[in-house]
Amino acid sequence: MRPSGQAPRTGRRDLSGAVAALEFYDVARRFPVPGGGTYAALEGVSFAVARGEFLAIVGPTGGGKSTLLNLAAGLLRPSAGQVLAFGAPVDGVNRRAAYLFQQDVLLPWKTALENVMLGPLLHRQPRREAQEHAMRWLARVGLAGFENRYPHQLSGGMRKRVALAQSLIVGPEILLMDEPFSALDVQTRALMENDLLRLWQEDRKTVVFVTHDLDEAIALADRVLVLSAGPGARVLGSHPVALPRPRDVTEIRLHPAFVEVYREIWAQLRGEVLRAYAARAPTEGSAAP
């Protein structure tokens, strides 16, 4: 929804004439706080995500990264500015996007197959077709043979695979991911990252991936967007990642260009991380949390 009196935007086009998948135009988001007043999570945020692009967003804790995803998903409305999906304002839930949260939202009383079938069934696909479709997606994420397991019978990595299949089966054009692998152990995380890259390479969905891990951002993305510390977080920089594809997330970290990109981004991010940490630290003479 546009703020009153604001003229509608038209989508930006690339050299081929294609409208960007996602655009933020001078977006602010403010939240009411107890006692009156507001907290500005974001102020003056503008950027675009091209169709088929893998964009990673990094920034300090409390820098508005999840708020950006919620705005893109249509779960929040901007306090100012506009969010567009494929040239049209996001007004209500963005039906062209799927959202993969940090914690999976699998229904514990349903099997892996039944969880993945939910989307097609809600879209009124016949049950037999939905089941066949879900079986194919479980095979694509490496879970053939685990269709009848319940979430509590699956490892953390397996549950993430089910959640990924659950998101992708409905055919979203944009995949929004909020630190989806942060709770996994290092080895499982690397496997999931490679699986994600393989699936993205096959279908070229537009991906917006939020992470605190700069290594992960560079290993996965075409471009890394850096947000400042809050309040009033803004875009500090946009850094292309010119590393060869296809990639293995473990091996790509050894590439000389990886280190160069890391240094470039960290030089911009480091001060913001320290500023956010200092803002959270207890004041002198107060008790530590």
Side-chain angles (χ1 to χ4, degrees):
M1 176 178 287
R2 297 195 305 275
S4 178
Q6 183 174 335
R9 295 274 188 172
T10 55
R12 245 179 272 186
R13 296 179 181 272
D14 62 20
L15 294 176
S16 70
V19 177
L22 192 64
E23 295 167 88
F24 280 64
Y25 281 103
D26 202 23
V27 169
R29 175 62 196 189
R30 308 178 190 102
F31 296 93
V33 295
T38 58
Y39 174 84
L42 300 168
E43 287 286 356
V45 171
S46 296
F47 67 92
V49 189
R51 295 180 185 228
E53 182 179 16
F54 198 126
L55 178 75
I57 301 177
V58 297
T61 299
K65 299 183 296 299
S66 295
T67 301
L68 276 179
L69 291 188
N70 288 332
L71 288 164
L75 303 179
L76 292 174
R77 291 175 175 174
S79 305
Q82 283 186 268
V83 181
L84 305 182
F86 298 97
V90 175
D91 188 4
V93 174
N94 186 352
R95 302 293 180 186
R96 303 179 79 165
Y99 203 149
L100 194 62
F101 297 92
Q102 187 171 357
Q103 301 297 325
D104 65 64
V105 289
L106 303 180
L107 299 179
W109 60 89
K110 289 188 177 291
T111 64
L113 179 61
E114 291 168 336
N115 268 289
V116 177
M117 286 172 61
L118 284 174
L121 290 176
L122 288 172
H123 285 79
R124 301 186 181 278
Q125 192 172 43
R127 189 171 192 84
R128 181 179 293 278
E129 290 180 21
Q131 181 173 333
E132 292 172 353
H133 196 185
M135 291 283 284
R136 289 194 297 272
W137 266 105
L138 285 169
R140 286 189 70 181
V141 299
L143 287 179
F146 292 89
E147 297 87 355
N148 296 318
R149 303 282 184 92
Y150 289 90
H152 74 273
Q153 297 174 313
L154 299 171
S155 68
M158 288 177 171
R159 288 195 299 273
K160 285 295 180 188
R161 292 171 193 271
V162 175
L164 188 57
Q166 190 181 55
S167 296
L168 292 173
I169 192 171
V170 295
E173 295 168 89
I174 302 170
L175 182 60
L176 307 170
M177 308 185 76
D178 192 358
E179 297 193 79
F181 309 139
S182 60
L184 302 176
D185 63 80
V186 173
Q187 291 83 7
T188 304
R189 185 171 180 167
L191 290 172
M192 286 301 306
E193 289 165 350
N194 278 332
D195 282 344
L196 173 61
L197 285 180
R198 173 179 54 80
L199 291 168
W200 174 78
Q201 197 81 31
E202 291 171 1
D203 293 342
R204 288 288 177 160
K205 306 288 185 187
T206 302
V207 176
V208 182
F209 189 100
V210 160
T211 179
H212 280 94
D213 187 335
L214 183 52
D215 277 53
E216 180 177 58
I218 297 168
L220 292 173
D222 295 318
R223 182 165 57 102
V224 177
L225 200 73
V226 179
L227 292 188
S228 72
R234 65 195 189 285
V235 175
L236 287 181
S238 177
H239 303 265
V241 180
L243 291 168
R245 293 194 186 274
R247 297 178 192 166
D248 179 284
V249 297
T250 302
E251 294 176 0
I252 202 67
R253 288 171 167 85
L254 304 176
H255 196 288
F258 184 97
V259 178
E260 293 178 16
V261 175
Y262 188 100
R263 285 176 176 162
E264 176 186 335
I265 298 174
W266 181 239
Q268 187 171 62
L269 182 60
R270 182 177 182 276
E272 297 301 311
V273 172
L274 293 175
R275 186 158 72 89
Y277 178 78
R280 295 196 308 273
T283 58
E284 186 176 352
S286 64

